[in-house]
Amino acid sequence: MKSKKMIIATMVFGMAVTGSAGVYAGTSMEKISAFLNHSIGFTVNGSAYTPVDNKGNTLSPITYRDTTYLPVRALADVLKVPVNYNAATHQVVIGTGTNTGSTSNLEAIEYNAAQKQAILTAFGGFQGFETAYAPIQMVKGDAFQKVVASDDGVSFLFDHMRVVISPRDYSTGYDSQEVQLSNGTKAKWYSPSADNLMLGFSLDNRTVTISSPDKALNKAQIEKVAISVAKLIQ
């Protein structure tokens, strides 16, 4: 893990945040002349690797004044090291340290009557699985959008988070890293794809899977949300 941190520390976050240049233009950004270095290849854990962005476009290192800068988001994902950007403090957050990965910005989710009914209806379609469960905390600034029932389970969709409650364990067949949540629950982190980090754990007769598709939540926040999932109080 130490070697991973050393590698990540040499990267530039500016190559990883899509659209950020427009946000900061005219403030603290400085225009430079640099070169995309297409001659550099990558090998990760003995295998050839091509970094891509969240749209599948190939990324190349940038060379500037004899220093080469790598695409941090892509390499952090393949090395399974979480990386986020805190726009409020203008800080790159690497890993799950408590200084920048704070969970204190969580708030209770208040489902209204219509939303509660939609949740009950979604669970009611499953025989032997009718009891409704739901997350009761989210990161401040996030918002619950809707609940969706599928053949596999019930999905809670937020602006920055997805919580799936299902009879199925989606982690089967993937390498995983076990972790113990603060309430003693055993959970595991796994990645079905290079840019899709998920936390899964058992809760009564079901499996809960939580992810942040846009990577707005860090691991510490997701683990905090995880322990809030409980039976829905009607």
Side-chain angles (χ1 to χ4, degrees), residues 40-42 49-53 56-61 71 74-75:
I40 294 179
F42 296 85
Y49 169 70
T50 300
V52 295
D53 63 17
N57 300 314
T58 299
L59 299 173
S60 296
L75 292 182

Side-chain angles (χ1 to χ4, degrees), residues 5-33:
K5 291 180 179 178
M6 291 175 64
I7 294 172
I8 297 298
T10 67
M11 302 177 187
V12 169
F13 191 74
M15 295 182 65
V17 182
T18 303
S20 62
V23 177
Y24 297 109
T27 57
S28 59
M29 294 190 71
E30 179 182 352
K31 185 177 180 180
I32 63 172
S33 294

